């Protein structure tokens, strides 16, 4: 079933490949993930990009994402400034995120070349703020 699908990831840039882990041989990439990928590509022209759907209930909920963005546009910015520049692409007029969770790893190409590690995701209780599956029409 679709609820048993695990995370899927699209890697862009020099690697230009798609990979994912699934219970079946199907990889789910929904409209929210595609929207995130497009916005990050347009804004940062990344050397490397991964967008991973980490939604804990059903991958089709598209509620939790991790983005790894490697871009020259992060040169000279603090870690907080890098995260804010990514986060602001996905907030509404009221400043709230348009989906439940966005975990960000933002690095310059030099930093990525020196260390390609990515922090592990924190454990999610699933209690959240009561939001349901993300409505892609509101993006």
């Amino acid at each position: 079933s679709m609820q048993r699908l695990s995370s899927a990831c699209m890697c862009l840039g020099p690697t230009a490949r798609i990979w994912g882990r699934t219970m079946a041989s199907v990889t789910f990439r929904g409209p929210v993930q595609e929207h995130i990928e497009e916005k990050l590509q347009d804004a940062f022209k990344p050397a490397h990009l991964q967008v991973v759907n980490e939604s804990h209930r059903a991958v089709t909920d598209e509620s939790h994402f991790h983005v790894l963005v490697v871009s020259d546009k992060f040169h000279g910015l603090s870690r907080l400034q890098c995260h804010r520049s990514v986060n602001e692409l996905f907030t509404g007029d009221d400043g709230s995120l348009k989906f439940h969770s966005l975990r960000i790893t933002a690095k310059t190409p030099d930093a990525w070349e020196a260390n390609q590690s990515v922090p592990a995701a924190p454990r999610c209780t699933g209690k959240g703020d009561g939001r349901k599956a993300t409505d892609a029409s509101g993006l």
Side-chain angles (χ1 to χ4, degrees):
S1 82
M2 288 300 282
Q3 290 187 350
R4 294 194 170 231
L5 292 177
S6 300
S7 65
C9 168
M10 178 168 185
C11 304
L12 302 170
T15 54
R17 60 191 173 96
I18 298 175
W19 59 272
R21 298 177 315 205
T22 62
M23 291 287 291
S25 61
V26 178
T27 300
F28 179 81
R29 273 185 67 241
V32 178
Q33 182 168 344
E34 290 174 354
H35 171 78
I36 292 169
E37 291 164 354
E38 289 171 15
K39 294 282 267 186
L40 292 170
Q41 275 289 359
D42 290 346
F44 297 103
K45 309 293 187 244
H48 185 77
L49 174 64
Q50 291 180 340
V51 176
V52 180
N53 182 344
E54 296 181 330
S55 301
H56 60 277
R57 288 186 335 138
V59 72
T60 54
D61 284 352
E62 292 196 285
S63 58
H64 294 65
F65 288 91
H66 173 241
V67 297
L68 165 62
V69 185
V70 178
S71 175
D72 285 324
K73 296 198 177 196
F74 297 134
H75 279 293
L77 299 180
S78 70
R79 182 173 167 182
L80 181 59
Q81 289 171 319
C82 293
H83 284 223
R84 283 182 176 163
S85 67
V86 171
N87 199 57
E88 71 186 9
L89 295 174
F90 306 108
T91 54
D93 292 337
D94 64 355
S96 67
L97 197 58
K98 295 179 181 182
F99 38 89
H100 181 70
S101 174
L102 181 63
R103 190 166 65 90
I104 301 167
T105 304
K107 297 186 176 192
T108 64
D110 291 341
W112 177 244
E113 190 172 318
N115 180 358
Q116 295 187 3
S117 68
V118 175
R123 184 171 167 80
C124 182
T125 64
K127 294 179 182 172
D129 59 5
R131 294 187 206 192
K132 303 295 182 208
T134 302
D135 178 8
S137 68
L139 298 176

